[in-house]
Amino acid sequence: MDLSKYRVEPGSRVGLSEWSTDDADGLERDGVEARFAENVEAISALQHRLYAEHKRSVLVVLQAMDAAGKDSTIRHVFGAVNPQGVQVKAFKKPTPDELDRDFLWRVHRHAPKRGHIQVFNRSHYEDVLIVRVNGLVPEERWRARYEIINQFEALLAQAGTRIVKVYLHVSKERQKEKLLRRLTDPSRNWKFEAADFETRSKWDAYMRAYEDAIGRCSTQAAPWFIVPADRKWHRLAIVSEIVRTTLESIGPEFPEPSIDPQAALELLDRFT
Ligand code: ATP
Ligand code: MG
């Protein structure tokens, strides 16, 4: 799968209307599902090495409009990974205690530990998205944040964290179908919030905010990917491919054993 078409080059201007929300890349569903299954296996095996190696870490940032499929993506892509090696943090509306600090305070403490994959379900990008759209802080404050975010991510990268950021790009029509499903399917009712409609009513302002966030903060150290999200199977295949490729590019290795296994075996024989 060619991921370069989903990757945002550093320094480029992003116009989201030019990015497809349902492009299937000429791929058939069966083939893509098989690839997804392979990716999930590979991610699990690579994470095992990452954990054993205990040197580097991975941060996956997921952002999207409501009902684009963030939760389902996390569940499927990381479902086979050893739960000890992957953490998921969902960033909700900040608490009063969090609002009394700088916007990165609550985020930094969830930076991944060595050997771990950390997934952010929403992230510090909310501080240039909902905060910008709803004018929660003055413009000069949120405008300064793009550069602060780039510096923050560079700091994490320098400490050994590989960062990938994924925007699940859903169309306004598809979002409507999925929000309606939250209302009509009893098992999904709990997911629905009136706030979803409010956010939807500001769709265009959100698109402008996403364009700036993605364009200004796609860096060599922490690139953004814009993933077509209208079709579930295609979205899962691409996101899993991004995570797999990221882990492969790190190339984690099992560490050298601290003992000579042969000598230890002989010792074990002697004492049993
Ligand atoms: P779901 O798909 O289940 O609805 P969700 O990620 O939308 O998941 P919610 O609890 O519905 O979770 O929404 C979290 C809300 O918190 C979002 O509206 C988000 O914009 C908001 N939020 C997150 N970070 C911030 C922030 N820094 N400032 C203000 N609001 C924030
Ligand atoms: Mg929500």
Side-chain angles (χ1 to χ4, degrees):
M1 194 183 285
D2 177 17
L3 291 178
S4 64
K5 60 189 283 199
Y6 307 115
R7 194 184 152 110
V8 178
E9 282 312 307
S12 52
R13 284 188 71 84
V14 176
L16 279 172
S17 58
E18 293 147 31
W19 291 74
S20 170
T21 58
D22 75 345
D23 162 41
D25 208 10
L27 299 165
E28 297 298 328
R29 181 169 177 159
D30 286 356
V32 170
E33 280 180 345
R35 182 68 188 169
F36 170 68
E38 275 172 38
N39 287 347
V40 167
E41 283 301 309
I43 290 168
S44 171
L46 284 157
Q47 197 284 327
H48 186 54
R49 282 172 182 264
L50 189 80
Y51 192 84
E53 184 195 68
H54 196 69
K55 280 191 184 149
R56 277 87 54 88
S57 60
V58 174
L59 172 61
V60 180
V61 171
L62 264 185
Q63 282 288 158
M65 295 297 280
D66 290 301
K70 290 194 282 12
D71 288 350
S72 125
T73 301
I74 294 168
R75 183 156 42 92
H76 288 97
V77 172
F78 298 99
V81 175
N82 179 351
Q84 285 208 95
V86 63
Q87 282 77 39
V88 181
K89 171 65 188 167
F91 288 95
K92 310 281 184 187
K93 205 165 163 283
T95 63
D97 199 43
E98 289 168 344
L99 285 172
D100 279 347
R101 269 89 173 201
D102 70 85
F103 78 102
L104 290 176
W105 180 77
R106 68 171 185 159
V107 179
H108 202 170
R109 49 199 293 264
H110 292 285
K113 294 204 274 198
R114 286 181 184 167
H116 290 246
I117 299 176
Q118 175 73 52
V119 182
F120 283 177
N121 180 349
R122 302 187 188 269
S123 64
H124 43 298
Y125 282 92
E126 292 292 324
D127 293 279
V128 289
L129 293 165
I130 187 170
V131 167
R132 163 175 165 166
V133 170
N134 288 348
L136 302 181
V137 304
E139 178 164 352
E140 66 267 22
R141 288 259 307 279
W142 60 254
R143 281 230 173 260
R145 288 180 175 172
Y146 301 107
E147 189 49 33
I148 294 170
I149 288 173
N150 287 342
Q151 296 287 341
F152 169 61
E153 293 175 357
L155 169 74
L156 299 186
Q158 203 187 38
T161 300
R162 191 66 66 91
I163 306 167
V164 276
K165 300 175 297 198
V166 172
Y167 169 63
L168 299 179
H169 191 24
V170 75
S171 65
K172 201 173 175 188
E173 298 70 42
R174 181 77 180 121
Q175 192 212 31
K176 186 172 182 182
E177 287 171 21
K178 293 181 83 177
L179 286 178
L180 284 176
R181 208 166 65 182
R182 287 186 175 183
L183 290 170
T184 52
D185 174 350
S187 74
R188 296 180 200 267
N189 283 169
W190 64 276
K191 278 200 147 226
F192 182 79
E193 281 185 305
D196 294 352
F197 280 154
E198 209 219 280
T199 314
R200 181 176 165 79
S201 73
K202 297 176 180 166
W203 188 275
D204 291 345
Y206 270 100
M207 291 303 108
R208 299 294 88 75
Y210 267 110
E211 286 169 346
D212 272 351
I214 295 170
R216 289 169 193 268
C217 299
S218 198
T219 58
Q220 232 30 281
W224 269 107
F225 289 83
I226 299 176
V227 172
D230 283 359
R231 299 178 215 227
K232 178 179 180 180
W233 51 274
H234 196 227
R235 155 169 60 81
L236 293 180
I238 301 170
V239 176
S240 62
E241 190 86 12
I242 292 170
V243 175
R244 176 188 184 160
T245 310
T246 303
L247 283 160
E248 281 173 351
S249 73
I250 295 175
E253 297 285 353
F254 288 118
E256 289 296 319
S258 57
I259 39 101
D260 171 4
Q262 195 50 46
L265 271 177
E266 282 162 18
L267 214 58
L268 189 68
D269 265 351
R270 221 178 319 144
F271 291 114
T272 49

